[in-house]
């Protein structure tokens, strides 16, 4: 923009266009330029700049008050020996597999069940999608009441004679992580279902007709028609799931804060507690960098492969 | 086309200027200079007292200050957890709120050492009220560098709370010694009552620290406790191990849901008689129905070693101010008012009334519970605050992890203490 402004000032009369770039730049209406540059500027100020600061902070020891002290890659070296980081990384992978895998499977299952236009199907679709509307913190509060020692779940178990299964679901290190995954799944399934429903609607019915004529059974039609046709939706769903898994924070923080004793700790909750509770903002930023690299790496590598296959 | 250029340039130039300003002010690692010593306008007063009764009492207090006529303040109440995490940001920002509710002692000193707190020496010398405050409070409000940085307002106490009617019904009495206490637990258990409620679940794991604090000050003394929390002793010392050996004796009497319930829910269990007693601060009264307050009583945490000077946890609350305030004169005036007996009585009347005023002439709520609480604190040879107040908020999560793990896996205490020391060192070195 600075270059453009300078050229306008120095050459009031329009000079003949030289080359493709000059022609293109001249033809771009100012309004379009503004629509491109203003968001870019806003994004730079409120997204890129803080992100760069985060990268810079990851190389420092900082308590949020004193001047930061440059430690190079010291924070990353510390991570190599940090048991809590290891637990959080393992839990994050577990979260990705269980939460991600189940939300994809259940979302696809729900979409297949509810794709036919039958009476009342809209109600079920809406019911499954409804949890997406609620904030995860509100969802977590409801589930907290369900998981209480004298909450709905334990009472239900009692009423059907399964007293032995009664549990402090969120306070036991063996169950906390899985107990937290359930509300996250409850919310995610409806979202994934909608993505798959859109994908299923886009499949040409003629393909199914042809498969039927060829004698394909229900499973064969699913395996050889539905799944290949959903490939592009799968890429979207996978990206959404990976991003949502790595940024999962609110539901865990509201329910367990990563506890008891780090048993439901994710990289995101560990990053938050390190940075804002223990006031180790440098180390917290280093954890944020790791999350960024993981998210970017996984998604980029998948998308590159997916697009290569598509070509 | 021509007419569009100036407006576009102007727009972009304006945006650029705004962006530069945002960049400069948003630069988290840059320092910012202080402002002039005095300015106009109402003093901004940031409060973490967000419980309904406490919030209403603070509103009464600010309104009374406005009526008094010497100045004006605007109250901004922020949820306690948000306030705690945002406090460093408030204090380091270029345009900070002026006055804050917070804690004296090591917590205030940590900010004072970084030159973030306003020197309140002038308030302490010019206020006739503050001159009459106890020596202990005066010391507590003085930073390590010898500057007055805090104005105290109220304090409260921790104790073993129970319902008088329930104890009468179960035919049990307040214990004095540790053995009496374990006997009491046995009796309650025999009656089918869970003897000890906890409330260290959900978002209040810090409640468990009260047990650690009390056992440590009863076994190793308040001085050792403070040194431990300041990083001058190690959590894997044999002295600390003794604390957990004693705790293990009481562990079978703890509510098994103690780490699953928040203290508010544990309070409900106590009031309903599902648990017999609970080590808690008087703030739990905010969650108790007004009708039950008259039936609530407490006893001193049992003495374990009579040779150890008697110490009690009695956290003080009050106010400090930002060193970067632009309204120093207004801040001084407000703080002088908050130190008066009148101001503290207004707060006590508006709140649940279970706190004690710091001003020697201010009247407390006058209930039997409060009178007993005052005596309880006055009889103590030493006063401690609470784990996070005697150490730091940053160290509290390390205690939460270690103590909830101990409650679930008491046999792993060796590795728990090693890990606690390792985690604490990271905080002390940060």
């Amino acid at each position: 923009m600075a270059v453009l402004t300078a050229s306008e000032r120095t050459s009031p009369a329009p000079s003949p266009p030289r080359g493709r770039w000059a022609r293109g730049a001249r033809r771009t209406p100012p309004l379009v330029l503004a629509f491109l540059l203003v968001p870019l500027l806003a994004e730079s100020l409120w997204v890129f700049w803080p992100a760069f600061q985060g990268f810079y902070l990851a190389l420092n020891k900082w308590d949020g008050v004193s001047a930061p002290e440059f430690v190079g890659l010291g924070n990353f070296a510390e991570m190599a020996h940090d048991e809590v980081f290891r637990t959080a990384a393992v839990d994050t992978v577990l979260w990705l597999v269980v939460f991600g895998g189940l939300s994809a499977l259940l979302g696809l299952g729900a979409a297949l069940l509810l794709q036919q236009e039958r009476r009342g199907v809209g109600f079920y679709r809406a019911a499954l999608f409804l949890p997406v509307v609620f904030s995860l913190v509100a969802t977590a509060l409801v589930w907290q009441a369900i998981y209480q020692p004298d909450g709905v779940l334990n009472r239900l178990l009692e009423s059907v004679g399964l007293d032995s299964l009664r549990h402090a679901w969120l306070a036991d290190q063996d169950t906390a992580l899985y107990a937290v995954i359930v509300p996250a799944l409850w919310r995610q399934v409806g979202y994934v279902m909608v993505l798959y429903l859109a994908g299923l609607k886009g499949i040409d019915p003629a393909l199914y007709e042809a498969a039927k004529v060829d004698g394909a059974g229900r499973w064969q039609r699913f395996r050889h028609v539905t799944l290949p046709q959903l490939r592009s939706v799968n890429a979207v769903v996978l990206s959404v799931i990976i991003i949502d898994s790595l940024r999962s924070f609110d539901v865990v923080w509201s329910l367990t804060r990563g506890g008891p004793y780090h048993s439901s700790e994710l990289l995101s909750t560990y990053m938050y507690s390190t940075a804002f509770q223990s006031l180790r903002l440098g180390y917290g930023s280093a954890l944020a960098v790791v999350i960024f690299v993981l998210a970017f790496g996984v998604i980029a590598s998948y998308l590159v492969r997916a697009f290569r296959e598509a070509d | 086309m021509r007419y569009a250029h100036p407006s576009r340039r102007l727009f972009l130039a304006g945006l650029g200027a705004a962006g530069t300003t945002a960049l400069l002010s948003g630069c988290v690692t840059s320092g910012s200079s202080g402002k002039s010593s005095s300015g106009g306008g109402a003093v901004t007063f940031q409060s973490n007292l967000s419980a309904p009764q406490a919030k209403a009492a603070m509103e009464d207090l600010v309104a009374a200050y406005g009526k008094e006529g010497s100045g004006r303040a605007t109250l901004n109440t922020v949820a306690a957890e948000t306030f705690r995490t945002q406090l460093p940001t408030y204090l380091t920002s270029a345009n900070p709120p002026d006055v804050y509710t917070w804690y004296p002692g090591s917590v205030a000193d940590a900010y004072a050492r970084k030159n973030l707190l306003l020197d309140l020496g002038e308030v302490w010398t010019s206020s006739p009220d503050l001159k009459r405050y106890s020596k202990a409070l005066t010391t507590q409000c003085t930073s390590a560098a010898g500057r007055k940085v805090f104005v105290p307002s109220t304090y409260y106490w921790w104790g073993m709370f129970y319902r008088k009617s329930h104890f009468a019904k179960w035919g049990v009495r307040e214990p004095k010694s540790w053995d009496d206490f374990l006997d009491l637990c046995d009796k309650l258990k025999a009656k089918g009552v869970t003897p000890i409620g906890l409330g260290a679940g959900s978002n209040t794991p810090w409640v468990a620290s009260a047990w650690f604090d009390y056992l440590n000050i009863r076994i190793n003394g308040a001085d050792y406790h403070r040194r431990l929390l300041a990083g001058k002793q190690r959590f894997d010392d044999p002295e600390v191990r003794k604390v957990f050996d004693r705790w293990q004796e009481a562990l079978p009497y703890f509510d098994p849901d103690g780490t699953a319930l928040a203290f508010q829910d544990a309070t409900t269990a106590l009031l309903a008689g599902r648990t017999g007693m609970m080590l808690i601060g008087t703030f739990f009264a905010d969650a108790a129905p007004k009708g039950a307050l008259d039936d609530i009583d407490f006893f001193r945490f049992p003495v374990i070693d009579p040779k150890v000077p008697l110490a009690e946890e009695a956290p003080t609350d009050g106010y400090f101010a930002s060193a970067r305030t632009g309204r120093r004169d207004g801040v001084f005036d407000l703080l002088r008012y908050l130190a008066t007996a009148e101001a503290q009585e207004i707060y006590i009347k508006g709140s649940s009334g279970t706190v004690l005023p710091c001003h020697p002439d201010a009247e407390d709520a006058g209930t039997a519970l409060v009178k007993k609480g005052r005596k309880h604190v006055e009889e103590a040879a030493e006063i401690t605050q609470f784990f996070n107040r005697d150490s730091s908020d940053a160290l509290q999560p390390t205690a939460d992890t270690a103590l909830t793990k101990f409650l679930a896996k008491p046999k792993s205490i060796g590795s728990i203490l090693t890990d606690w020391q390792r985690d604490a060192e990271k905080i002390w070195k940060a």
Side-chain angles (χ1 to χ4, degrees), chain B residues 199-216:
Chain B
S202 193
N203 293 333
T204 60
W206 49 269
V207 172
S209 300
W211 275 87
F212 176 77
D213 285 358
Y214 259 112
L215 286 163
N216 201 22

Side-chain angles (χ1 to χ4, degrees), chain A residues 70-144:
Chain A
F70 189 77
V71 291
L73 296 174
N75 287 325
F76 295 96
E78 189 188 325
M79 255 177 240
H81 308 288
D82 185 349
E83 279 176 35
V84 184
F85 169 72
R86 228 168 293 151
T87 309
V90 170
D91 283 354
T92 304
V93 172
L94 206 65
W95 183 280
L96 192 65
V97 172
V98 179
F99 165 80
L102 283 179
S103 54
L105 281 178
L106 294 174
L108 177 61
L112 288 170
L113 267 177
L114 302 175
Q115 66 167 324
Q116 302 287 344
E117 293 299 340
R118 294 194 192 112
R119 181 180 293 206
V121 80
F123 171 78
Y124 289 107
R125 282 182 197 158
L128 265 174
F129 189 73
L130 198 62
V132 182
V133 178
F134 303 137
S135 94
L136 256 182
V137 176
T139 304
L141 287 172
V142 172
W143 280 85
Q144 195 165 41

